[in-house]
Amino acid sequence: MLTIEKYSFGVGDRFAHQAAAQLRAFQKLAADGVDVTPVWNKSNREHTFVGSEPQSVYDAAKVAVDKLGWDKPWHVDADHIQLATVEPFLPCSDFFTIDVADSIGKAASDSEVEGFVDRHGELIGTLELPGLSSPLNVTKDDVRRVAKQYLLAVKEASEIYKHLESAKGKDGVIAEVSMDETDSPQTPPELLIILAALADENVPVQTIAPKFTGRFNKGVDYVGDLPQFEREFNDDLAVIDHAVKAYGLPEVLKLSVHSGSDKFSLYPIIRESLKRTGAGVHLKTAGTTWLEELIGLAEAGGDGLELAKEIYVYALQHVEELSAPYASVIDVDPKALPDEATVKAYSGTEFASAIRHVQSNPMFNPSMRQLLHVSFKVAAKAGTRYTDMLKANEDIVGKQVTENIYDRHLLPLFVG
């Protein structure tokens, strides 16, 4: 079976121009003595918005790998796929984020639920697992409730996985199961029950993405209770370690943090947990690279800055339209958005400072950053004008991309 490496890190590249700049960050980290595997990801929704095809992600990554002589593993993630959308991803992906959010909460039949409860008496009672902050107390009613909520989602994951395996074979599929895009976080006992159900369905899940407590908005830092996240993360690590041994799940199984990118306050917690336990992790960064492109164009000045300003002004005039698909993962305060006249007067440094995620900078504007984060299809509408600008300013744009991934993400997460 194709297996995921211990540490892996998702990079998005909306316009398929920054793969080499992204890869340079991983090369720098490897030179520091830490190997982290890049996983290029792009969802069907993003392809639809931009007008690209899944093959373009693989092609761009392969060019970068060959150009830079990268001789370590790398993967291409079919991000948030379902049966209805997976086909174009099959030839060019080896990592598949199976999204079953739509089935969570749809009640399984009473017979299926009771069958699961009867098979898994070991889940009931007080479970004292190494590494837990406190024992898990699970009743039969708890198992029944969780099974009713998640069994259909697990069966959907199984159906999708079987389709993947039939198309690519076990040696062509790394399976992640995503359960984070739902209203309620999964508790550690719920995660254990879900993993037992995945094992029942013979899904060799290698990474699992639960929903954690708190806000994971796109492009900005975590909003929530840090000690609570630390307990949840460590308890989930303990649950995964137990589930691998108890249910024969792949030994490489690890947590996937669907971060929405830039969860800087969580990185020290995750780093220390990995160091203490020896566990692996997958971090899906989402689309910060597109923002680094805008930052680079702004810093370049001239036509690049003018285009960056035009994209923002259009976004400002279409806040609701652009925000709607991402309403659950952004918090844009319209009152905090600078008006058109203010932004048109910005220098390149001021525009870049407003959206570069440096919280100590008084110019930094998280609402402006989030709005632009979800406005990449505005750049897509500009077509070759935008992509030609990226080519013309390749060096300064690429510098922003590499520094962002290396300095703000990889170093604090894996080195400290």
Side-chain angles (χ1 to χ4, degrees):
M1 183 173 70
L2 179 66
T3 55
I4 190 66
E5 292 71 31
K6 184 174 182 178
Y7 302 134
S8 52
F9 189 98
V11 282
D13 188 9
R14 296 286 194 268
F15 299 97
H17 279 67
Q18 306 307 327
Q22 293 168 326
L23 190 54
R24 287 189 184 98
F26 294 88
Q27 286 185 314
K28 292 180 70 173
L29 192 70
D32 295 332
V34 182
D35 287 336
V36 175
T37 298
V39 181
W40 278 275
N41 59 60
K42 194 170 180 180
S43 68
N44 183 70
R45 177 169 63 181
E46 290 158 2
H47 282 296
T48 300
F49 285 166
V50 172
S52 56
E53 296 293 334
Q55 184 66 40
S56 65
V57 179
Y58 175 89
D59 292 344
K62 184 66 165 62
V63 168
V65 165
D66 292 344
K67 176 182 178 181
L68 299 183
W70 179 256
D71 59 359
K72 299 176 186 293
W74 57 282
H75 303 289
V76 175
D77 178 8
D79 189 15
H80 287 286
I81 51 92
Q82 299 172 328
L83 273 181
T85 57
V86 70
E87 292 304 318
F89 292 90
L90 290 174
C92 50
S93 302
D94 58 356
F95 187 116
F96 292 84
T97 301
I98 300 172
D99 187 339
V100 293
D102 290 347
S103 295
I104 294 174
K106 294 181 180 178
S109 69
D110 290 344
S111 61
E112 288 176 317
V113 170
E114 293 308 318
F116 179 85
V117 173
D118 291 342
R119 285 194 303 276
H120 289 288
E122 82 285 350
L123 290 169
I124 299 165
T126 299
L127 305 178
E128 298 185 7
L129 308 179
L132 283 178
S133 58
S134 60
L136 306 182
N137 295 302
V138 183
T139 68
K140 181 178 281 191
D141 283 343
D142 290 332
V143 177
R144 185 177 288 115
R145 172 184 55 79
V146 177
K148 193 166 189 176
Q149 186 175 11
Y150 288 100
L151 278 187
L152 281 186
V154 167
K155 286 184 177 297
E156 182 184 0
S158 175
E159 184 180 4
I160 295 170
Y161 176 76
K162 288 174 183 175
H163 181 71
L164 296 173
E165 186 181 288
S166 68
K168 297 184 68 73
K170 285 186 177 180
D171 60 350
V173 178
I174 294 167
E176 168 166 308
V177 175
S178 168
M179 295 195 167
D180 66 307
E181 294 197 358
T182 185
D183 293 335
S184 300
Q186 290 96 29
T187 64
E190 289 173 338
L191 179 61
L192 180 57
I193 294 167
I194 290 166
L195 290 172
L198 286 167
D200 281 357
E201 293 291 332
N202 297 311
V203 179
V205 57
Q206 297 190 41
T207 77
I208 187 159
K211 181 178 177 67
F212 295 99
T213 302
R215 291 285 293 182
F216 284 75
N217 289 334
K218 288 191 174 295
V220 291
D221 207 348
Y222 173 78
V223 178
D225 185 328
L226 291 176
Q228 182 177 5
F229 173 84
E230 184 172 12
R231 287 192 299 274
E232 287 182 7
F233 189 83
N234 284 312
D235 285 352
D236 284 352
L237 292 180
V239 162
I240 285 175
D241 182 64
H242 173 73
V244 166
K245 298 169 183 173
Y247 302 118
L249 291 165
E251 291 185 2
V252 295
L253 175 61
K254 60 184 181 177
L255 279 175
S256 177
V257 183
H258 281 209
S259 65
S261 73
D262 291 30
K263 300 302 173 282
F264 299 149
S265 61
L266 300 185
Y267 289 174
I269 293 171
I270 295 172
R271 184 183 68 245
E272 290 306 311
S273 295
L274 301 183
K275 183 178 178 181
R276 177 179 57 81
T277 63
V281 73
H282 179 63
L283 188 83
K284 192 182 292 279
T285 62
T288 51
T289 286
W290 133 250
L291 290 178
E292 298 306 316
E293 289 177 340
L294 276 187
I295 289 167
L297 293 181
E299 293 277 21
D303 292 341
L305 175 58
E306 185 60 31
L307 179 55
K309 290 179 178 179
E310 286 180 28
I311 290 171
Y312 174 73
V313 169
Y314 183 94
L316 184 64
Q317 295 167 349
H318 298 83
V319 173
E320 291 187 9
E321 172 194 337
L322 293 167
S323 300
Y326 300 94
S328 64
V329 286
I330 57 173
D331 284 319
V332 174
D333 179 3
K335 296 178 182 177
L337 295 171
D339 61 26
E340 180 177 341
T342 299
V343 170
K344 283 187 173 180
Y346 277 169
S347 68
T349 298
E350 288 172 329
F351 190 101
S353 295
I355 63 172
R356 182 183 285 121
H357 198 174
V358 178
Q359 297 177 45
S360 60
N361 189 326
M363 282 286 296
F364 175 61
N365 186 320
S367 286
M368 183 177 176
R369 179 175 170 85
Q370 288 179 88
L371 175 60
L372 283 171
H373 194 295
V374 300
S375 300
F376 58 92
K377 60 183 175 182
V378 181
K381 289 180 180 178
T384 56
R385 182 183 173 211
Y386 180 74
T387 53
D388 286 350
M389 202 75 70
L390 294 180
K391 294 173 186 175
N393 297 280
E394 179 180 355
D395 289 345
I396 191 168
V397 170
K399 181 175 183 288
Q400 310 306 315
V401 172
T402 302
E403 289 180 353
N404 173 57
I405 294 174
Y406 178 72
D407 293 338
R408 299 188 195 104
H409 294 272
L410 292 175
L411 276 182
L413 185 58
F414 294 107
V415 179

